Amino acid sequence: QVQLVESGGGLVQPGGSLKLSCATTEFTLEYYSVGWFRQAPGKEREGVSCISRSGDTMSYYADSVKGRFSISRDNADNTVYLQMTGLESEDTGVYYCAATWGVPNYCAQYAASYEFWGQGTQVTVSS
C-alpha cells in the first residue's frame, strides 16, 4: 500500500501559522501532481490546494485560502509543503495530502482524481 505521510499539524491560535509537509519513500514526488485536502467535523472533504508535477509548474488554491496558503515543493527532500498563515477557526480540520501521476501545467482539484493518500494530520485553530 503506497503511503504518503503528512506532518506539521497542531493547535494554533487564530492568526497563527503552520507548515504542513507531505512526503513518501515510495516514489519520486516531483513526477506527481500533489493535492491538499481538508475535512472538518460533519463536513465533506474539500480541496485546498494542488501543485502540478515539476517542470511547467502551476498551482491552485481554493478561494477560502487564497492569499493565506502557499504550496511548494522541495525535490531534494521529496516533499511537498503547505504553508498556512493567517489561520482562522474555519481552517480547523484534518488535512490530507494526495498524489497522482502528473502532467505538465495541470493539477486536479478533486479528490477522486488522486490515487495515493496519506493518513491526515489534525489542524486546530482556536484561542
Side-chain angles (χ1 to χ4, degrees), residues 95-119:
Y95 282 68
Y96 301 89
C97 69
T100 188
W101 181 255
V103 298
N105 206 32
Y106 174 78
C107 66
Q109 304 168 25
Y110 303 104
S113 299
Y114 291 87
E115 302 168 62
F116 309 115
W117 288 82
Q119 296 300 307

Side-chain angles (χ1 to χ4, degrees), residues 81-102:
Y81 298 100
L82 184 69
Q83 176 70 56
M84 307 187 295
T85 62
L87 284 162
E88 305 167 352
S89 58
E90 292 78 12
D91 296 317
T92 294
V94 179
Y95 282 68
Y96 301 89
C97 69
T100 188
W101 181 255

